[in-house]
């Protein structure tokens, strides 16, 4: 049985607008609720009351929202929007106050999955993706390009999409389009459809067309209808979601057979229920694949232009007839044959009659549930090893710094002796020395350590997927392998894979997708590094570690002694990687940050500013001072013992 999850569905459109995305969100949420999941729907709203009530509840009793979701989906109005004019346009603007409401909701509510729909910026979906602390899933529905999102705001969208744990496309055509601009793996989950019971058939053949396509498609249809033989018995309904005037070019003969209806008079589902043939003649500017899905689900025979998304749904002609976009003659020929030869229409209807289950909302919810549960299954068990935990309970607390460098790194001038002396002076009980692509400094430090525990480690540069630290290793790991190969080598040595500064775009880091590919082999993640210049990068690491329940670490990344211990982990004393990892689960991160500008300036002075001879002389002086101080401290301890 699938784990019951708390799921947030986020739509960018005002909830009162009955578009395809909102219908999808509503139906899927209902099905998921029937399966035992708690579902919240976040949407902008035209209702002042809904928005006010949502904000009041978030301030006073946010937990009650999930309790209410036990009986069915709960809609949260996260910002008020005003309808666009004219009325037929969608109300999809982003309210100025939506960000704070969404941030409050996602901070207060303990949810497992945040599923955003059409998460292009700026929108409620993109805001939710920015503030989510849960597993993130995105659905991309429309198979047409969005110039604003794919061209003008692509850098921002790429940054936001980098936080996705799973990506879904409604059609292969949508996947192929989005992959061109935002390369990644997308799972295709076809949408569902509402189906009404078919009306009683008559001798007259009923045609259906949707004015939601581009106007060129409607013109092609009308031209084809004009050329049909006069003796054929047919009637056409042109359905529009909003008010639509009868085209002025419609001749007297067609006016008797063509009826224009809008959503206030008849729903699209009802119009399809009485249709025999659905014509979709888009020339590609604004196709309506959702209408084709609903037609197939209703058992209506489609005649559609040969656009990729239509060909995909018709299985290259298995479930309907096709014609080249703008080819009036072929469209008229297809319609003539279907209308004049009832047996041909009956065979075509029989072929599509079995597709109703294919486009059921239960099937869509089931496939989404598979995605959610697969992601949730990748989260770690936070309880850890009870046996090891019990053994650590009586151990003393020590301060640990998990990330630092010595002069065995190319970009550091701190001698091992100086580092050890400074670590003792700053009260650290254990340190991990993580030189770049080298462990000689860590081995030297372990041999010289007195009263401080040294974890032998290495910060390894992979081929093109950033850096990873191997803790508790004994052999140098060569740089230049893939991230997975490097982690495999760490594991071979019995070490732990620790990811430093994972989302700092100013460092060499593995991106989100690379991390997801090795997630099961990562032991810990650095969630705070004081050398990260932009604090949001550390925050992103916090969110990633929390959502997958990965133990969180921290380190100073010190390249000069003055930065050592500027962040430290207070944890139970440990012996070996197993006890270390278990102790890390309950550790506290203590920040005592040094000025980033100050330590960076010192690093420059110690590694670049002085000539080589002067640097060597400075190093010798610092080692003498450090070892002399150590000797005095040791002598003092011996006198106190005696």
């Amino acid at each position: 049985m699938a784990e019951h999850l708390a799921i947030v569905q986020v739509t960018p459109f005002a909830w009162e607008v009955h578009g395809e995305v909102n219908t999808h969100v509503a139906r899927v949420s209902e099905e998921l609720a029937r399966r035992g999941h708690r579902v919240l729907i976040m949407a902008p709203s035209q209702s002042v009351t809904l928005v006010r009530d949502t904000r009041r509840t978030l301030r006073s009793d946010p937990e009650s929202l999930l309790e209410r979701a036990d009986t069915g989906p709960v809609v949260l109005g996260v910002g008020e929007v005003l309808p666009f004019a004219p009325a037929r346009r969608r109300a999809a603007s982003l309210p100025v106050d939506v960000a704070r409401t969404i941030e409050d909701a996602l901070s207060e509510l303990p949810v497992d999955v945040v599923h955003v729909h059409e998460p292009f910026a700026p929108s409620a979906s993109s805001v939710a993706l920015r503030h989510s602390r849960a597993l993130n899933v995105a659905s991309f529905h429309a198979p047409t390009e969005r110039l604003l999102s794919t061209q003008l705001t692509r850098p921002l969208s790429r940054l936001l999409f980098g936080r996705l744990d799973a990506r879904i496309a409604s059609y292969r055509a949508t996947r192929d389009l989005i992959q061109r601009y935002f390369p990644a793996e997308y799972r295709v989950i076809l949408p569902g459809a509402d189906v009404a019971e078919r009306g009683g058939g008559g001798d007259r053949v009923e045609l259906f067309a949707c004015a939601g396509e581009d106007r060129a498609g409607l013109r092609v249809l009308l031209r084809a209808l004009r050329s049909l033989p006069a003796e054929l018995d047919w009637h056409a309904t042109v359905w529009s979601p909003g008010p639509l005037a009868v085209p002025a070019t419609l001749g007297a003969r067609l006016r008797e057979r063509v009826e224009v209806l809008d959503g206030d008079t008849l729903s699209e589902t009802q119009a399809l229920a009485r249709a025999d043939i659905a014509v979709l003649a888009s020339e590609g500017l604004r196709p309506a694949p959702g209408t084709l899905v609903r037609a197939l689900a209703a058992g209506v025979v489609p005649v559609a232009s040969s656009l990729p998304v239509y060909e995909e749904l018709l299985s290259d002609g298995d479930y309907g007839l096709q014609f080249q976009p703008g080819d009036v003659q072929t469209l008229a020929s297809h319609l003539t044959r279907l209308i004049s030869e009832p047996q041909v229409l009956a065979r075509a209807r029989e072929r599509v009659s079995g597709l109703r289950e294919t486009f059921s909302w239960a099937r869509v919810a089931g496939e989404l549930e598979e995605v959610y549960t697969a992601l949730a299954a990748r989260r770690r068990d936070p309880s850890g090893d009870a046996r090891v935990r019990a053994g650590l309970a009586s151990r003393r607390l020590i301060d640990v710094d998990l990330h630092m460098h010595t002069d065995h790194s190319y970009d550091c001038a701190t001698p091992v002796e100086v580092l050890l002396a400074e670590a003792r002076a700053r009260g650290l009980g254990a340190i991990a020395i993580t030189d770049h692509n080298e462990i000689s400094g860590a081995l030297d430090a372990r041999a010289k350590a007195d009263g401080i525990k040294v974890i032998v480690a290495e910060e390894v540069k992979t081929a093109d997927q950033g850096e990873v630290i191997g803790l508790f290793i004994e052999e140098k790991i060569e740089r230049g392998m893939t991230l997975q190969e490097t982690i495999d080598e760490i594991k071979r040595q019995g070490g732990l894979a620790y990811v430093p500064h994972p989302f700092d775009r100013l460092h060499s880091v593995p991106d989100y997708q690379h991390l997801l590919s090795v997630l099961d082999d990562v032991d810990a993640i650095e969630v705070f590094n004081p050398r990260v210049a932009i604090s949001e990068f550390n925050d992103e690491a916090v969110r990633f570690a929390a959502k997958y329940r990965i133990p969180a670490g921290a380190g100073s990344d010190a390249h000069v002694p003055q930065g050592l211990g500027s962040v430290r982990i207070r944890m139970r004393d440990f012996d070996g990687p197993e006890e270390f990892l278990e102790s890390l689960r309950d550790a506290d991160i203590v920040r005592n940050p040094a000025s980033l500008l100050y330590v960076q300036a010192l690093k420059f002075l110690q590694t670049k500013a002085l000539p080589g001879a002067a640097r060597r002389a400075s190093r010798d002086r610092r080692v003498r001072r450090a070892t002399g101080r150590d000797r005095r401290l040791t002598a003092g301890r011996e006198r106190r013992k005696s």
Side-chain angles (χ1 to χ4, degrees):
M1 182 177 177
E3 178 185 358
H4 289 170
L5 303 171
I7 303 165
V8 175
Q9 300 278 343
V10 187
T11 171
F13 302 108
W15 189 241
E16 294 75 17
V17 176
H18 301 293
E20 290 190 5
V21 172
N22 282 356
T23 299
H24 181 101
V25 169
R27 298 294 182 269
V28 163
S29 297
E30 291 165 3
E31 289 292 337
L32 290 169
R34 289 191 191 100
R35 294 165 181 257
H37 302 289
R38 290 174 158 184
V39 185
L40 302 177
I41 298 172
M42 284 188 184
S45 175
Q46 296 170 6
S47 169
V48 177
T49 302
L50 176 61
V51 174
R52 185 177 60 241
D53 290 347
T54 296
R55 290 176 176 166
R56 183 183 297 124
T57 306
L58 285 173
R59 287 194 300 268
S60 61
D61 189 14
E63 292 291 338
S64 67
L65 293 170
L66 286 174
E67 293 171 3
R68 286 164 50 194
D70 284 330
T71 59
V74 175
V75 178
L76 308 182
V78 294
E80 185 182 354
V81 293
L82 297 175
F84 280 128
R88 70 184 298 269
R89 295 180 63 186
R90 287 181 174 178
S93 63
L94 179 66
V96 294
D97 55 349
V98 70
R100 190 168 118 188
T101 305
I102 290 178
E103 183 179 10
D104 290 345
L106 296 181
S107 299
E108 295 293 333
L109 297 171
V111 299
D112 299 293
V113 177
V114 172
H115 189 155
V116 294
H117 296 263
E118 303 288 31
F120 300 102
S123 69
S125 293
S126 67
V127 170
L129 189 54
R130 186 166 76 244
H131 293 294
S132 171
R133 300 169 182 270
L135 299 164
N136 297 322
V137 179
S139 280
F140 300 87
H141 297 276
T144 50
E145 183 176 352
R146 299 166 176 264
L147 291 177
L148 176 64
S149 303
T150 57
Q151 302 296 333
L152 299 179
T153 62
R154 185 165 22 164
L156 175 59
S157 294
R158 185 185 293 116
L159 183 64
L160 288 173
F161 295 171
R163 298 179 178 180
L164 292 172
D165 301 279
R167 307 182 189 208
I168 294 166
S170 289
Y171 310 99
R172 291 200 304 270
T174 304
R175 176 198 63 193
D176 296 343
L177 171 68
I178 297 296
Q179 273 185 331
R180 290 208 303 267
Y181 299 102
F182 308 104
E185 181 179 346
Y186 295 77
R187 175 172 173 173
V188 176
I189 298 179
L190 290 173
D194 294 325
V195 180
E197 292 300 322
R198 290 189 62 80
D203 293 334
R204 186 174 66 174
V205 175
E206 291 286 342
L207 307 181
F208 169 90
C210 178
E213 290 187 307
D214 43 273
R215 289 188 177 274
L218 182 58
R219 288 195 296 269
V220 168
L221 169 63
L222 295 178
R223 289 170 60 195
L225 293 179
R226 289 191 194 100
S227 64
L228 295 181
E231 67 274 11
L232 294 181
D233 190 11
W234 58 270
H235 174 267
T237 297
V238 177
W239 184 86
S240 172
L244 178 70
V246 177
T249 57
L250 206 62
R253 187 169 71 89
L254 286 187
R255 284 178 183 273
E256 298 175 356
R257 298 194 179 203
V258 177
E259 184 179 18
V260 178
L261 298 175
D262 61 33
D264 292 334
T265 306
L266 191 72
S267 73
E268 185 185 46
T269 301
Q270 292 168 330
L272 284 167
R274 69 186 194 182
D276 299 296
I277 300 169
V279 181
L280 293 101
S282 169
E283 293 192 351
L285 181 62
R286 193 171 67 228
T291 297
L292 181 52
V293 165
R294 291 184 284 277
L296 290 167
V300 180
V301 176
V303 181
S305 53
S306 296
L307 302 178
V309 68
Y310 289 168
E311 291 176 338
E312 172 188 345
L313 289 170
L314 296 183
S315 191
D316 294 326
D318 287 350
Y319 300 120
L321 302 176
Q322 296 178 270
F323 60 95
Q324 289 301 312
D327 187 349
V328 175
Q329 185 175 359
T330 302
L331 172 57
S333 175
H334 286 331
L335 293 177
T336 299
R337 188 177 181 208
L338 290 172
I339 296 169
S340 63
E341 301 181 38
Q343 69 279 10
V344 174
L345 181 59
R347 286 198 299 270
R349 186 180 295 138
E350 185 178 350
R351 285 196 295 272
V352 301
S353 62
L355 295 178
R356 186 163 183 165
E357 287 301 315
T358 299
F359 296 110
S360 71
W361 290 113
R363 187 270 308 163
V364 179
E367 291 191 45
L368 289 176
E369 187 179 51
E370 289 177 7
V371 174
Y372 301 155
T373 54
L375 288 177
R378 300 194 72 183
R379 297 183 297 187
R380 307 293 172 82
D381 180 357
S383 60
D385 189 321
R387 176 188 57 82
V388 177
R389 186 184 295 261
L392 292 170
S394 59
R395 302 276 184 87
R396 68 187 180 101
L397 289 170
I398 61 172
D399 286 354
V400 182
D401 188 337
L402 285 180
H403 192 170
M404 64 190 66
H405 298 270
T406 72
D407 57 4
H408 292 248
S409 284
Y410 68 91
D411 60 347
C412 179
T414 304
V416 166
E417 295 83 356
V418 174
L419 187 71
L420 290 172
E422 191 68 26
R424 280 190 288 269
R426 292 176 180 249
L428 293 172
I431 58 176
I433 296 182
T434 59
D435 286 323
H436 294 290
N437 310 302
E438 185 57 72
I439 65 167
S440 55
L443 293 172
D444 187 27
R446 185 172 65 181
K448 295 175 178 177
D450 180 16
I452 190 168
K453 187 172 296 184
V454 173
I455 300 171
V456 176
E458 178 184 356
E459 188 170 12
V460 188
K461 182 73 173 292
T462 65
D464 56 3
Q465 297 168 312
E467 295 172 320
V468 61
I469 290 175
L471 300 172
F472 297 97
I473 61 175
E474 295 295 329
E475 303 169 20
K476 176 181 174 179
I477 299 174
E478 295 299 328
R479 62 178 294 172
M481 296 187 288
T482 68
L483 181 60
Q484 184 64 65
E485 289 170 342
T486 305
I487 291 177
D488 289 344
E489 176 58 22
I490 293 170
K491 301 289 187 179
R492 185 192 68 78
Q493 295 189 34
L496 300 177
Y498 177 52
V499 181
H501 40 69
F503 300 109
D504 181 7
R505 275 77 180 180
L506 304 181
H507 275 84
S508 176
V509 298
D511 63 25
Y512 203 101
Q513 294 302 312
H514 287 144
L515 272 183
L516 290 180
S517 68
V518 298
L519 185 64
D520 296 338
D521 295 319
V522 170
D523 296 296
I525 288 180
E526 186 176 75
V527 301
F528 185 75
N529 181 317
R531 291 188 67 240
V532 171
I534 300 175
S535 62
E536 285 77 8
F537 295 157
N538 280 327
D539 295 340
E540 198 168 343
V542 171
R543 286 195 295 269
F544 187 88
K547 75 165 67 175
Y548 283 108
R549 301 169 182 168
I550 301 172
S556 63
D557 198 2
H559 287 65
V560 294
Q562 290 83 351
L564 195 64
S566 54
V567 61
R568 55 185 69 196
I569 304 170
R570 190 152 294 156
M571 58 193 297
R572 297 290 176 184
D573 198 0
F574 55 86
D575 184 15
E578 184 182 34
E579 289 189 354
F580 167 83
L581 196 58
E582 198 60 45
S583 180
L584 190 62
R585 294 183 193 279
D586 297 324
D588 294 321
I589 295 174
V590 181
R591 303 182 189 184
N592 183 27
S595 166
L596 178 59
L597 180 61
Y598 171 63
V599 295
Q600 288 296 90
L602 287 176
K603 175 185 173 184
F604 173 76
L605 290 172
Q606 293 179 14
T607 59
K608 302 290 186 182
L610 298 176
R615 287 201 300 270
R616 288 190 293 272
S618 173
R619 180 190 187 281
D620 292 341
R621 288 194 299 272
R622 293 159 66 204
V623 170
R624 285 196 297 271
R625 285 198 299 269
T627 53
R629 182 172 60 179
D630 279 352
R631 283 195 295 271
R632 290 192 296 274
L633 289 173
T634 301
R637 284 197 298 269
E638 292 299 326
R639 285 195 299 272
R640 286 193 293 273
K641 288 180 182 178
S642 60

